[in-house]
Amino acid sequence: MLKARTLARRLGRVVAVVALATASASALPAPAQADPIVPIDWTVDVTSHLARLDKDLVVPTGTFTGGFDVATWKMTGDLVLPEATSRLDLGSLPLAKVTMAMEQAAPVTGGVDLFTMTGHARSTFHVRILAIRPVLTPWVNLVNPACRTRTPVVADLGGKVDLEAGSTFTGTYDLPKFTGCGIGVTAVVNQVVPGTGNTLTARFTPAH
């Protein structure tokens, strides 16, 4: 087995790959000697397939920063993702460019099973619709700034941990109904956006 400090250094490179996965952390016996917290600093590339719209939302590169507790084999941290824009048809609304954001509602939690080299974590966030701009009138924003999911999204993902090349985690999530989008707009959004079977793919790589 790896010595505790060597293991801790390796974990510092990979444990953030579990930033968007399942609620339960895999617990392993605590090493006899180890630094208590290993810092995490990773970049994150996220793509979400919205099932009802049959569209992919590609999110620009974000960050995950946090720490891994070597004594308990659990991790926690903050996931920050930029806004993402995609061209979509929204029911009766004209063809438009839609700008959305995933905003963290609670710290990410998770863990790594070093025997199987698999990781898992849970990310809880609100989805906000920041803009719906018709292609023919791009200066018009049809949605109110307060438009967001009524309740937070809970995304559970998992996958194999790759110490060298980074890791890709996948999973599914339910998208709740939206609120505060504006008179008439909220109803249209809720007809075509919320639902089950949405997928999330996250690629984690070391920031340095």
Side-chain angles (χ1 to χ4, degrees), residues 159-179:
K160 296 293 291 185
V161 175
D162 188 323
L163 296 172
E164 300 300 328
S167 301
T168 299
F169 279 57
T170 60
T172 62
Y173 66 94
D174 297 340
L175 193 57
K177 289 188 175 182
F178 287 77
T179 185

Side-chain angles (χ1 to χ4, degrees), residues 13-25:
R13 299 181 55 203
V14 300
V15 71
V17 300
V18 299
L20 295 172
T22 62
S24 301

Side-chain angles (χ1 to χ4, degrees), residues 39-113:
I40 301 167
D41 183 11
W42 283 63
T43 61
V44 187
D45 292 287
V46 171
T47 299
S48 178
H49 184 77
L50 304 176
R52 291 280 297 277
L53 294 170
D54 193 23
K55 291 287 185 178
D56 287 336
L57 185 68
V58 180
V59 181
T61 301
T63 62
F64 178 80
T65 55
F68 184 87
D69 191 323
V70 178
T72 64
W73 302 102
K74 295 181 180 180
M75 56 79 68
T76 186
D78 295 313
L79 180 68
V80 179
L81 297 174
E83 301 170 4
T85 300
S86 182
R87 181 166 165 162
L88 303 174
D89 286 306
L90 289 177
S92 61
L93 296 178
L95 186 69
K97 286 188 175 181
V98 179
T99 300
M100 306 176 74
M102 300 178 182
E103 297 185 347
Q104 180 174 284
V108 174
T109 59
V112 175
D113 185 333

